């Protein structure tokens, strides 16, 4: 049903949650099935990452615990198996992970693992000078990491200064960090540069000769096979 720019869909009867103003909120998995036709695969995965990584915040109500993959699988099993949106959600769930604290972390991780690099550790706690820090993606045994800096680091001077100090502290303690911004994801040439950097660092690490998952040098990108550029969209954080 459509009216005045809104689209209403019939519920499949999954669990609902009490919402503000006496409303009932649809189950997050069912909401994602409704949204799936409008989301690229990585964005759908980012939504699932968020559900796995943090409490479900409902205004005026006690936050609901983070969902597990088992919770999501059980919910999906109650939905029409042949529905294209349900199929897309199942595929995204295979790629979901936690803890992930921003959609762009999801995108960077998917760019890494689809190139057959070793799976990174996400937001691994690192104790440096008595403080915990959490690189977005890392290979802790190599002290190797990737950070994505969004628009807040550009627009807020205090946030930028704190982030630069954090990066210097990592580097002072022997970590090799690559700091990415949006252009590094959108531009095929810049993307090739940091993926090649990662390949070289992983191949340089201990026992790299026995790690069959580490890539050789990457082929130069061509403008004809860019699966990410049209999907990145306007996200900045």
């Amino acid at each position: 049903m459509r009216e005045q720019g809104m689209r209403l869909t019939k519920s499949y009867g999954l669990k609902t949650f009490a919402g503000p103003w006496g409303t009932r909120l649809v189950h997050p998995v069912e909401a994602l099935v409704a949204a799936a036709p409008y989301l690229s695969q990585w964005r759908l995965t980012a939504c699932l990452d968020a559900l796995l990584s943090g409490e479900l915040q409902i205004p005026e109500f006690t936050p609901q615990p983070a969902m597990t993959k088992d919770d999501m699988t059980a919910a999906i099993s109650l939905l029409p198996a042949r529905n294209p949106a349900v199929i897309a959600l199942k595929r995204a769930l295979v790629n979901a992970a936690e803890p992930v604290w921003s959609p762009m972390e999801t995108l960077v991780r998917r760019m890494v693992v689809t190139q057959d690099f070793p799976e990174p550790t996400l937001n691994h706690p690192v104790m440096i000078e008595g403080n915990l820090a959490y690189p977005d993606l890392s290979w802790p045994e190599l002290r190797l990491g990737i950070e994505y800096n969004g628009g807040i680091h550009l627009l807020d001077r205090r946030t930028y200064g704190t982030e630069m100090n954090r990066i210097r502290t990592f580097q002072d303690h022997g970590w090799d960090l690559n700091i990415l911004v949006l252009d590094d994801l959108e531009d095929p040439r810049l993307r090739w540069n940091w993926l090649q950097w990662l390949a070289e660092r992983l191949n340089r690490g201990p026992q790299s000769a026995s790690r069959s998952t580490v890539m050789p040098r990457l082929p130069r990108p061509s403008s004809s096979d860019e699966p990410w550029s049209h999907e990145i969209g306007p996200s900045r954080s």
Side-chain angles (χ1 to χ4, degrees):
M1 172 178 164
R2 296 174 184 266
E3 185 174 347
Q4 296 182 349
M6 292 195 311
R7 177 174 178 174
L8 302 180
T9 60
K10 182 180 178 181
S11 171
Y12 291 107
L14 272 62
K15 175 185 175 182
T16 61
F17 298 88
W21 312 296
T23 60
R24 299 297 301 179
L25 302 180
V26 70
H27 192 286
V29 168
E30 191 167 358
L32 283 177
V33 168
Y38 309 99
L39 297 175
S40 62
Q41 187 66 199
W42 83 261
R43 289 182 184 275
L44 198 53
T45 301
C47 292
L48 294 172
D49 286 353
L51 290 174
L52 289 170
S53 302
E55 297 177 327
L56 179 61
Q57 301 288 335
I58 302 175
E60 303 176 20
F61 287 86
T62 302
Q64 300 293 315
M67 299 184 71
T68 66
K69 279 197 172 184
D70 287 344
D71 294 333
M72 295 180 187
T73 299
I76 290 173
S77 71
L78 301 175
L79 302 173
R82 295 184 179 181
N83 184 317
V86 174
I87 293 171
L89 192 61
K90 285 182 179 179
R91 188 164 64 247
L93 184 57
V94 171
N95 297 324
E98 52 88 20
V100 178
W101 298 339
S102 82
M104 301 310 273
E105 287 180 26
T106 298
L107 179 56
V108 174
R109 174 172 58 87
R110 293 302 301 147
M111 287 181 171
V112 166
V113 299
T114 53
Q115 295 290 345
D116 293 327
F117 286 114
E119 189 80 31
T121 301
L122 307 175
N123 290 294
H124 176 72
V126 179
M127 183 66 73
I128 296 180
E129 298 182 358
N131 296 309
L132 279 175
Y134 302 85
D136 294 343
L137 281 69
S138 67
W139 294 262
E141 69 282 4
L142 303 177
R143 293 196 176 190
L144 177 67
I146 294 176
E147 287 273 309
Y148 177 81
N149 279 358
I152 184 64
H153 299 93
L154 172 66
L155 299 175
D156 186 274
R157 181 176 63 84
R158 186 178 298 276
T159 300
Y160 176 78
T162 300
E163 179 69 1
M164 292 302 101
N165 182 67
R166 188 173 74 96
I167 291 167
R168 281 195 299 270
T169 302
F170 265 109
Q171 293 170 337
D172 289 345
H173 287 76
W175 277 75
D176 193 354
L177 289 185
N178 199 333
I179 313 304
L180 307 181
V181 296
L182 187 64
D183 286 350
D184 294 309
L185 309 187
E186 289 184 325
D187 187 307
R189 303 290 168 178
L190 295 177
R191 185 163 63 250
W192 184 89
N193 286 341
W194 67 263
L195 286 170
Q196 184 61 51
W197 170 89
L198 181 59
E200 292 170 355
R201 296 307 190 277
L202 289 172
N203 277 314
R204 184 185 302 170
Q207 299 180 344
S208 62
S210 65
R211 289 206 301 261
S212 61
T213 51
V214 176
M215 288 188 57
R217 290 184 62 86
L218 296 164
R220 285 281 181 180
S222 68
S223 59
S224 61
D225 64 353
E226 293 306 324
W228 303 105
S229 297
H230 67 285
E231 294 186 354
I232 294 174
S235 180
R236 293 290 187 273
S237 62

